[in-house]
Amino acid sequence: MKEKKITTALISVYHKDRLDEILQKMAELNISILSTGGTKEFIEKSGYKVTAVEELTHYPSILGGRVKTLHPKVFGGILARMGNAGDQQEMEQYEIPPIDLVVVDLYPFEDTVRSGASEEDIIEKIDIGGISLIRAAAKNFDDVVIIPSRDHYGDLLRILTENKGITTWDERKKFALQAFNTSSHYDTAIFHYFNRDVQVNAFKQSILQSRPLRYGENPHQRGSFYGAFDDLFHQIHGKEISYNNLLDIEAAVFLIDDFSETTFAILKHNNACGIASRPVLADAWKDALAGDPVSAFGGILITNAEMDATTAAEVDSLFFEVIIAPAYEIKALDILKKKKNRIILLRKPLQLPVVQFRSLLNGVIGQDRDTKTETRTDMKPVTKQTPTDQEYEDLIFANKVVKHSKSNTIVLAKNKQLMASGVGQTSRVDALKQAVAKAKSFGFTLDGGVMASDAFFPFPDCVEIANDAGIKIVIQPGGSVKDSDSIDFCNHHNMAMVFTGIRHFKH
């Protein structure tokens, strides 16, 4: 393929780290350097020869540095096609020197936004000259090498050191690809900043970080995760995290975040199969496991409390894929690390996004994440019988669990412990029957327990089944045209029922 040797470089970078290594190699290869502003000063102070862009353009940096490189003699040198006779004639006519390497590191717009800086400072960090240089050099990759950010300084060093400044056409095209990746991400970040209040209804997302996964949901499917997973978790131990692990980890985190008391949860296929809140973590674990010790095998474990050695010793007897906690005692880690493949995650205090997206058909759907968590004040008694204080506590607990379970779903709970749930059923009646059967199979007495539903009851059949099973306390959104049928049944059978007015479908 077409090889080219670098002869003239234009360098305009915000971050100067590792630039001195590049400058040394350029000097060894007699590569001419053009620069301006702070980059030029850095090069000069580092002891290397550099020509000011102003000497080339015969025009000073103006408007407080907003206009430095935006000039035909700069962009002509970058965009000129070496194999085009007309371009070469014009370059000679207008005394435009060719530029075959452009090194850019853009103003840190995203970092400035995150820092809470003023809008004036943020606007000034919108790079104009740098982004224009990137696009121009990438467009003319046939003749020009573009280094679009400091993330690619290592690649440039390799070319300068190992290849003596010679690049192939394929290499230059790959750099162009990275350049457009950088510029499109930068523009997306600026769009999102301006779109905070105006809300132009357009889907634009850009995530530069990614990690390949062993496979997708099944071994025959490819999979990747796009995002900064390490910002959320520190993986202390274990094998590579899988696609399905990630789905369960998200479900686990969203669930546990609704609980302030010491709580332990076990999840399988995005649903809680066990969860309990207790003053002592080891007790929370034991009661969570009791909810469904069969489904717990191979599950995801999460707690909102420090993992202590006592609880770790209990947990260690179960085979599970992942455990998540905000902190671990050293002795607890010693116990948990005995299984080499066991994934141990330390959760970091980072707020999760409140908007969700999902690919659908030939597009994407988006929604606000369901962050509504009902309290006692949201619960409206609709029956003659009303819950006791303890029963209200259980209703709050059960309603949190039902919110994070796949629809149609019914949750049965007592004393802040999940007794059983029926999830992902096409009929709410089937979900309830499943929950009742599971609870009884694991030895639970349903008398004194509560029932939570993710959506309203169109018929009284669910409260009838609940009553027959011993459940006398019910929470549901309400809103059916036949609510009165369920209310009447509850009143005739001394049952208490509250409406929340909030549906929690989850698909």
Side-chain angles (χ1 to χ4, degrees):
M1 299 301 288
K2 183 179 176 183
E3 292 186 342
K4 287 186 66 69
K5 189 176 190 305
I6 297 169
T7 60
T8 303
L10 172 62
I11 305 177
S12 178
V13 298
Y14 184 86
H15 294 101
K16 313 299 191 294
D17 46 305
R18 297 194 71 191
L19 186 57
D20 52 348
E21 300 175 65
I22 293 172
L23 293 171
Q24 181 182 342
K25 293 299 178 183
M26 286 184 174
E28 292 173 4
L29 295 172
N30 295 316
I31 296 173
S32 301
I33 300 174
L34 292 165
S35 191
T36 186
T39 306
K40 172 180 166 292
E41 292 177 8
F42 177 87
I43 296 171
E44 289 175 331
K45 289 179 180 178
S46 300
Y48 298 101
K49 185 178 178 181
V50 58
T51 299
V53 167
E54 291 82 356
E55 291 183 33
L56 172 66
T57 63
H58 303 294
Y59 224 94
S61 171
I62 60 172
L63 306 180
R66 283 188 166 197
V67 181
K68 295 190 287 281
T69 57
L70 296 169
H71 193 280
K73 283 204 170 184
V74 174
F75 281 85
I78 296 170
L79 287 165
R81 294 159 290 187
M82 295 299 105
N84 185 291
D87 286 5
Q88 294 304 301
Q89 182 179 352
E90 287 185 311
M91 288 180 71
E92 183 176 351
Q93 178 182 355
Y94 297 110
E95 298 179 338
I96 300 173
I99 298 170
D100 46 30
L101 169 64
V102 176
V103 182
V104 175
D105 186 61
L106 298 169
Y107 291 162
F109 177 81
E110 289 179 280
D111 290 344
T112 306
V113 172
R114 281 191 290 265
S115 73
S118 67
E119 180 156 279
E120 181 180 1
D121 289 339
I122 290 171
I123 297 303
E124 286 306 310
K125 285 299 186 290
I126 297 176
D127 206 313
I128 302 301
I131 207 78
S132 302
L133 291 171
I134 288 174
R135 291 177 62 82
K139 178 176 180 176
N140 200 25
F141 71 88
D142 201 46
D143 294 302
V144 180
V145 178
I146 173 62
I147 303 299
S149 79
R150 58 176 172 170
D151 294 336
H152 301 285
Y153 285 180
D155 297 323
L156 177 57
L157 275 171
R158 178 186 57 79
I159 288 170
L160 296 174
T161 303
E162 298 177 11
N163 300 343
K164 307 302 180 185
I166 296 173
T167 61
T168 65
W169 186 89
D170 285 338
E171 285 175 323
R172 295 192 297 277
K173 189 172 184 180
K174 287 178 181 177
F175 280 127
L177 171 64
Q178 294 296 342
F180 287 120
N181 185 31
T182 298
S183 64
S184 63
H185 177 81
Y186 197 77
D187 284 341
T188 299
I190 295 170
F191 168 81
H192 282 300
Y193 174 75
F194 280 93
N195 201 40
R196 294 173 307 164
D197 303 318
V198 179
Q199 292 299 304
V200 172
N201 194 17
F203 180 77
K204 295 181 187 294
Q205 293 293 318
S206 178
I207 301 173
L208 295 178
Q209 303 98 319
S210 67
R211 62 161 69 181
L213 303 174
R214 284 175 291 164
Y215 49 79
E217 205 160 6
N218 299 292
H220 63 277
Q221 297 170 270
R222 288 183 299 174
S224 296
F225 173 74
Y226 301 95
F229 184 81
D230 293 341
D231 288 352
L232 292 171
F233 303 98
H234 168 53
Q235 183 170 350
I236 298 173
H237 182 76
K239 63 182 180 180
E240 181 183 346
I241 295 171
S242 71
Y243 181 99
N244 291 328
N245 288 156
L246 288 168
L247 292 176
D248 285 328
I249 288 168
E250 181 190 62
V253 167
F254 286 158
L255 170 65
I256 205 71
D257 280 355
D258 268 346
F259 293 85
S260 56
E261 297 177 78
T262 297
T263 301
F264 212 120
I266 308 167
L267 287 89
K268 197 76 171 285
H269 295 294
N270 310 156
N271 295 295
C273 57
I275 182 170
S277 296
R278 297 288 183 266
V280 178
L281 183 61
D283 293 337
W285 158 251
K286 292 175 184 177
D287 288 343
L289 181 62
D292 188 345
V294 175
S295 296
F297 182 85
I300 304 292
L301 314 184
I302 190 167
T303 181
N304 55 6
E306 181 181 38
M307 176 61 61
D308 56 67
T310 301
T311 308
E314 296 286 341
V315 165
D316 188 54
S317 62
L318 177 74
F319 169 72
F320 59 89
E321 290 271 336
V322 181
I323 187 167
I324 308 166
Y328 295 85
E329 289 183 358
I330 294 175
K331 290 183 179 179
L333 286 176
D334 291 339
I335 294 168
L336 295 172
K337 285 181 178 179
K338 291 178 182 177
K339 305 291 194 301
K340 68 175 183 178
N341 287 331
R342 182 179 282 165
I343 297 169
I344 304 174
L345 296 179
L346 175 70
R347 190 175 175 194
K348 300 177 182 179
L350 186 70
Q351 187 174 359
L352 290 161
V354 294
V355 178
Q356 296 175 313
F357 301 104
R358 181 186 295 183
S359 61
L360 185 72
L361 299 174
N362 63 343
V364 174
I365 54 174
Q367 66 170 356
D368 296 333
R369 183 159 58 86
D370 186 359
T371 57
K372 175 64 177 175
T373 303
E374 291 84 352
T375 64
R376 182 168 175 171
T377 57
D378 297 309
M379 298 176 186
K380 176 187 175 184
V382 293
T383 53
K384 296 175 183 177
Q385 186 76 11
T386 58
T388 65
D389 289 345
Q390 178 57 50
E391 288 165 347
Y392 267 117
E393 290 295 311
D394 282 342
L395 288 174
I396 292 170
F397 177 92
N399 202 52
K400 289 177 181 178
V401 179
V402 86
K403 165 186 166 182
H404 294 280
S405 301
K406 297 286 187 178
S407 299
N408 290 311
T409 181
I410 292 288
V411 165
L412 306 179
K414 182 165 61 176
N415 297 327
K416 297 183 180 179
Q417 177 188 20
L418 174 64
M419 294 190 289
S421 61
V423 298
Q425 299 301 305
T426 53
S427 160
R428 190 158 280 98
V429 170
D430 287 343
L432 175 54
K433 289 179 178 179
Q434 181 189 70
V436 170
K438 285 185 67 175
K440 290 181 177 179
S441 72
F442 293 123
F444 286 101
T445 301
L446 297 181
D447 293 344
V450 305
M451 175 175 75
S453 174
D454 60 335
F456 64 64
F457 301 134
F459 306 103
D461 44 12
C462 281
V463 290
E464 292 169 2
I465 296 169
N467 179 67
D468 291 342
I471 296 289
K472 293 288 187 178
I473 314 297
V474 180
I475 183 171
Q476 58 137 319
S480 168
V481 294
K482 294 187 176 181
D483 276 343
S484 59
D485 292 350
S486 294
I487 294 171
D488 289 344
F489 180 88
C490 288
N491 282 331
H492 284 128
H493 292 83
N494 203 33
M495 296 176 69
M497 184 161 63
V498 300
F499 284 1
T500 63
I502 302 293
R503 189 182 72 184
H504 288 297
F505 270 170
K506 187 168 185 268
H507 297 103

